[in-house]
Amino acid sequence: MENKNNLSWPKCWKHSSKPHNFCPGCGHPIILKQLGHTIDELGIQSNTLFGIDIGCSLLAWNFFNVDTIQTHHGRTIPVMTGAKRSKPKMVSIAYLGDGGAYAIGMQHLISARIRNENITVIIVNNANYGMTGGQEAPTTIPGQITATTQSGADEFFTKGPELLSGASESPAYIARGSVDNPIQLKGFIKKAIEWQMTGKGFSFVEVLSFCPTNWRTDAKATIEFMNKLKSIYTIKEFTKENK
Amino acid sequence: MSKELLTGNEIIVRAALNAGAQAFFGYPITPATEIMAEWDTFYEKNRNNLLFLQTEDEMSAGFATIGAVVTGKKAFTATAGPGNILMQDAFSMAEAMQIPIVAIIGQRGGPSTASVIYSQQELTLTAFGGNGEGYRIVYSPSTIQELYDYTIKAFNTAWKYTTPTFVLTDGYTLKTRTNVEITRPKNLEKSFPMVLKSNKRGKKESEYVNLRNTYSVEEECFKNNKTLIEKWNKIKSQIEEHEVYELNKSKKDTLIIAHGNVASSAKQALYDTKKKSVKLFRPITVNPFPINALKKELKGIKQIIVTESANNQLLKLVKENLYGLNIPIKTYNKPALGITPEEIIELIKKNK
Ligand SMILES: Cc1ncc(C[n+]2csc(CCOP(=O)(O)OP(=O)(O)O)c2C)c(N)n1
Ligand code: SF4
Ligand SMILES: [Mg+2]
């Protein structure tokens, strides 16, 4: 059933694990809430395996009444690939940080896209390594101060959805959303999972997400930095449909 | 039962299939590559029931194997040398979470990329690689027939004890073509899913499985370690296997200890020399190491000779397990080189 106003807790919420352990103001719980609503709406609570990376995503290991497997940093995609190939009727969701996906696990991500693995990958882009205390990530933007770019990051950074769109000719659902527009985000996540459920292959959602702890921002500055991220990382669907 | 002329690599695939294996994930590396190619031969003919993926690297192969195993498939992989190093990433997770993956290790020379065909330098890595303490089962077969038998056993043991299980072999064994008896095993352990056990679940939290490998406080991590240790201590005596080879029951003063391929040479040497004062002890499970069985063989023994195609891997296990016993240990160790029966005959002569 559609949850229009998006206010209530998802049905698959695991109440005993709340309050959760993410920092106040973190974007992860917003994304997880949209994912939870999507799982409810699609009626896939009993048929989903939720794979979780190491990074702040690890805090989601018992977030839902959904079967989960936590893996090593960067290795969630191969685990979820093996699981999906072994049990094609289940829904396979890999949830990783930008470091897990675009640095240590990049070869798995690109390969999953190129092989058109029928899994859904959700990447949390918070422009840093949150869990380890705010080091430079592949997504850190030019000039950004982090623990390992103390005089400002260089001009090089990773645009995941763009990269994955170009990585293969085959159709794929690819989108970038952000936590400051949760309704739109839920739409992207839902389309991605439906893409998998109809057997179309690889689907991917990158989510621009708040990390006030490592951004060292108050509420206002958090929104400002999110807007800066959005000026660099375009919010849109990059989907390639079958011609 | 039938006799077939097969290479070690082909035998492993026959054994895996007869053990009920359903999935293989791998990345090419000599001398284990042909296991993957052979699996593909069967896979092409039976795509509805078998799974195969050549992955982008060994980490992916190891973790994809884990993914298939947790959903209930008997899945395995095969690797060697530098691939074994990368796969420790996945193996350590399988060890921590006691996920019954099976891996065939075709030892090649080390350290590093080194040589491609033979060594015994991956014992320590296979049994104790990673930041755990070796809660994994490692068989070291000595003949091609055993390669068949213990590959089947590896699947059974893995699923019976839900513990990652390894067959530690080498390129010499894998590339040899010979006649083996292909028997169909009578009893097979069943595989089972660790997640998604039912499609119809309700609201109860206890109906859902949340698996993890990381802990936020030391006490939780300690608790997991204690669980691992207790399980290991409970199961290891049921798993330990060894062989003693001697020409007759007369008094022995010398004990040779060897495993795998080198143990084969030692057996042949004992047979050829007809030397009655020497016997061979061969751990078949190098992990768990058959300590009590070894201790039983020490009566009257004046010297131990450890011989291996490594500098000090089996040796370390022997020393650790015989701590406090004052029997001199001599060594004949040749990392990355084979050891022939003739060399062992010489060794026996020199150490009279
Ligand atoms: C193999 C390995 N290397 C390094 C680490 C340490 N580590 C843990 S989380 C992390 C980075 C997490 O950043 P990201 O993936 O962006 O997730 P976030 O915490 O920002 O959500 C690192 C480097 C690890 N756990 N494993
Ligand atoms: S460090 Fe950042 S990403 Fe991690 S929980 Fe805190 S706010 Fe969220
Ligand atoms: Mg991050």
Side-chain angles (χ1 to χ4, degrees):
Chain A
M1 204 196 300
E2 186 105 24
N3 185 324
K4 281 236 168 58
N5 53 25
N6 206 33
L7 288 174
S8 58
W9 302 124
K11 283 209 303 281
C12 61
W13 211 242
K14 183 171 223 148
H15 289 281
S16 70
S17 66
K18 310 294 177 300
H20 58 67
N21 293 320
F22 295 97
C23 306
C26 176
H28 274 280
I30 304 174
I31 304 167
L32 291 166
K33 191 174 166 199
Q34 302 321 311
L35 175 62
H37 283 308
T38 307
I39 289 172
D40 288 353
E41 285 170 22
L42 294 172
I44 54 174
Q45 181 181 11
S46 290
N47 193 32
T48 296
L49 185 59
F50 185 42
I52 297 157
D53 214 62
I54 298 298
C56 288
S57 51
L58 74 83
L59 301 170
W61 77 278
N62 61 351
F63 207 86
F64 296 120
N65 282 334
V66 168
D67 285 1
T68 51
I69 180 164
Q70 186 188 57
T71 76
H72 283 183
H73 184 41
R75 311 294 172 231
T76 306
I77 289 169
V79 171
M80 299 316 292
T81 293
K84 178 71 184 187
R85 281 177 175 256
S86 149
K87 202 173 164 62
K89 287 197 178 130
M90 75 172 198
V91 176
S92 177
I93 303 171
Y95 185 77
L96 302 82
D98 41 3
Y102 300 148
I104 195 167
M106 180 63 115
Q107 73 275 41
H108 308 313
L109 175 63
I110 283 273
S111 302
R113 161 71 176 116
I114 291 172
R115 290 196 307 257
N116 200 24
E117 297 293 344
N118 195 24
I119 62 174
T120 299
V121 179
I122 300 172
I123 301 301
V124 181
N125 177 356
N126 55 12
N128 77 80
Y129 283 9
M131 176 53 71
T132 40
Q135 297 77 25
E136 185 184 25
T139 47
T140 296
I141 58 174
Q144 188 181 336
I145 309 289
T146 72
T148 51
T149 54
Q150 294 177 23
S151 55
D154 62 28
E155 67 270 39
F156 308 112
F157 58 96
T158 310
K159 290 185 166 180
E162 288 84 346
L163 180 76
L164 293 171
S165 295
S168 167
E169 292 297 312
S170 68
Y173 180 83
I174 297 172
R176 182 187 286 118
S178 65
V179 293
D180 63 352
N181 192 345
I183 302 287
Q184 178 198 48
L185 174 62
K186 194 180 80 182
F188 290 170
I189 292 176
K190 194 170 178 181
K191 279 195 203 169
I193 295 176
E194 282 172 335
W195 187 273
Q196 177 186 166
M197 290 171 74
T198 47
K200 288 185 179 166
F202 188 75
S203 54
F204 179 89
V205 181
E206 180 189 285
V207 191
L208 302 181
S209 179
F210 305 139
C211 179
T213 302
N214 290 304
W215 294 354
R216 294 167 201 273
T217 47
D218 60 12
K220 186 164 166 274
T222 299
I223 298 295
E224 278 166 13
F225 191 69
M226 173 56 79
N227 286 335
K228 199 165 170 190
L229 286 179
K230 286 202 289 190
S231 71
I232 291 173
Y233 294 116
T234 318
I235 304 294
K236 69 171 207 180
E237 291 174 287
F238 299 75
T239 304
K240 286 194 167 174
E241 290 283 0
N242 247 331
K243 277 184 212 118
Chain B
M1 190 168 73
S2 65
K3 268 211 177 229
E4 285 188 54
L5 186 64
L6 297 166
T7 66
N9 280 318
E10 291 164 347
I11 284 162
I12 281 175
V13 173
R14 299 296 191 287
L17 288 167
N18 283 341
Q22 300 152 295
F24 181 93
F25 301 86
Y27 189 85
I29 187 164
T30 311
T33 310
E34 288 92 338
I35 296 172
M36 179 158 66
E38 182 71 3
W39 181 266
D40 186 49
T41 310
F42 284 88
Y43 164 73
E44 302 290 345
K45 287 183 274 193
N46 191 7
R47 280 180 180 240
N48 289 337
N49 297 306
L50 298 179
L51 276 180
F52 169 51
L53 179 64
Q54 179 175 329
T55 56
E56 60 275 18
D57 57 37
E58 285 87 351
M59 289 159 315
S60 183
F63 282 102
T65 306
I66 288 177
V69 167
V70 294
T71 58
K73 284 256 166 18
K74 286 190 182 177
F76 76 120
T77 182
T79 190
N84 191 5
I85 296 172
L86 292 183
M87 248 187 231
Q88 292 304 322
D89 192 359
F91 294 159
S92 74
M93 183 166 129
E95 178 176 330
M97 298 164 85
Q98 293 287 286
I99 295 169
I101 62 165
V102 170
I104 313 294
I105 307 298
Q107 295 175 96
R108 51 186 265 158
S112 186
T113 312
S115 61
V116 298
I117 190 72
Y118 176 77
S119 192
Q120 291 190 319
Q121 288 165 287
E122 290 171 58
L123 191 168
T124 309
L125 181 65
T126 305
F128 304 103
N131 52 354
E133 293 173 71
Y135 309 115
R136 16 168 128 172
I137 298 156
V138 184
Y139 290 110
S140 176
S142 205
T143 63
I144 294 226
Q145 186 62 48
E146 279 192 1
L147 195 62
Y148 179 79
D149 298 338
Y150 281 98
T151 299
I152 290 177
K153 195 160 206 173
F155 282 93
N156 278 338
T157 314
W159 284 96
K160 179 167 180 190
Y161 298 102
T162 51
T163 299
T165 302
F166 299 80
V167 178
L168 183 68
T169 178
D170 58 72
Y172 283 172
T173 312
L174 291 173
K175 303 262 185 187
T176 305
R177 185 182 297 277
T178 189
N179 273 312
V180 276
E181 271 178 22
I182 302 294
T183 47
R184 288 224 165 233
K186 283 193 207 84
N187 298 313
L188 289 183
E189 287 294 326
K190 282 210 174 71
S191 63
F192 49 84
M194 299 169 81
V195 294
L196 296 176
K197 290 176 207 165
S198 155
N199 259 342
K200 293 182 199 73
R201 285 174 288 171
K203 284 188 191 151
K204 267 204 243 131
E205 295 196 348
S206 60
E207 292 179 292
Y208 297 88
V209 182
N210 298 134
L211 302 173
R212 62 168 167 168
N213 66 67
T214 179
Y215 301 93
S216 36
V217 293
E218 285 80 351
E219 285 73 16
E220 279 177 344
C221 188
F222 177 61
K223 202 174 140 206
N224 185 50
N225 273 279
K226 267 180 71 176
T227 308
L228 288 170
I229 295 166
E230 275 162 22
K231 174 179 169 183
W232 186 250
N233 287 338
K234 209 168 99 192
I235 65 175
K236 67 181 180 190
S237 64
Q238 299 162 45
I239 296 162
E240 283 167 14
E241 279 188 50
H242 73 284
E243 183 192 2
V244 176
Y245 181 78
E246 55 192 349
L247 290 175
N248 63 16
K249 285 281 165 200
S250 65
K251 258 185 81 182
K252 303 288 183 290
D253 56 22
T254 300
L255 180 69
I256 296 178
I257 305 177
H259 77 101
N261 204 304
V262 179
S264 269
S265 290
K267 248 187 188 178
Q268 186 66 46
L270 285 182
Y271 182 81
D272 291 346
T273 53
K274 306 277 179 268
K275 191 85 182 152
K276 297 200 178 78
S277 60
V278 185
K279 66 181 169 184
L280 167 72
F281 181 87
R282 166 169 90 90
I284 297 174
T285 47
V286 288
N287 198 38
F289 196 83
I291 308 162
N292 293 330
L294 174 58
K295 284 186 178 158
K296 270 192 205 138
E297 297 301 324
L298 296 177
K299 233 184 111 205
I301 294 297
K302 303 252 164 10
Q303 63 174 349
I304 289 171
I305 303 173
V306 175
T307 176
E308 59 180 320
S309 296
N311 189 38
N312 63 5
Q313 303 204 14
L314 178 61
L315 180 63
K316 267 189 196 158
L317 284 180
V318 169
K319 282 185 177 166
E320 176 190 321
N321 285 302
L322 296 185
Y323 175 75
L325 289 176
N326 277 328
I327 306 171
I329 297 178
K330 293 177 179 167
T331 57
Y332 187 73
N333 296 344
K334 293 172 75 179
L337 272 186
I339 297 173
T340 62
E342 291 72 31
E343 287 175 88
I344 295 181
I345 292 173
E346 272 309 298
L347 188 65
I348 293 170
K349 277 190 197 148
K350 257 204 272 167
N351 288 289
K352 263 213 290 255

